[in-house]
Amino acid sequence: MVNDILFIETNKRGCVINTIDRCYECSEKINDLETKLEEYGFFKCHKSFLINLNCVEHLDKEFAYFVKGKKAYISVRKYTETKKRYIAAKKKVCIYVKKKRRLCRFF
């Protein structure tokens, strides 16, 4: 499932998909996966890393950190945009509908 993916990194032959418990190799290019997974909250924070912003526990100027000590590099050029998208993914988005009923959703 897409929500189980923490991050994807490139290797010589394609990509490695990192989940909480396992790593899977795939032959697709990271740019192709970026296009397919963008709508699910993934962001390319480095030329070799595509992260699931919904699974990031915290980040600093060098890494995005995940459960079990896993981490992905963040490029210097993409740090500001990564941080902006991380904050947006963590905010609670509330939508007001008819009758002033409140529906809340997390990204």
Side-chain angles (χ1 to χ4, degrees), residues 5-12 14-19 23-24 28-35 37-38 41-53 56 59-66 69-79 81-82 85:
I5 300 171
L6 300 177
F7 63 93
I8 300 168
E9 61 184 307
T10 59
N11 69 6
K12 294 178 183 177
C15 292
V16 176
I17 299 170
N18 290 274
T19 65
C23 295
Y24 302 91
E28 286 197 60
K29 303 276 185 200
I30 198 163
N31 292 335
D32 296 335
L33 292 171
E34 178 185 14
T35 303
L37 296 172
E38 187 174 23
F42 284 78
F43 178 68
K44 192 173 177 186
C45 62
H46 184 280
K47 67 180 181 178
S48 301
F49 287 90
L50 182 63
I51 62 172
N52 183 346
L53 292 165
V56 175
L59 50 89
D60 60 27
K61 290 190 174 190
E62 200 172 354
F63 295 103
Y65 296 91
F66 303 90
K70 294 187 177 197
K71 58 187 178 181
Y73 282 104
I74 299 173
S75 74
V76 173
R77 287 187 226 161
K78 294 216 175 173
Y79 172 72
E81 184 65 22
T82 303
R85 289 181 185 230

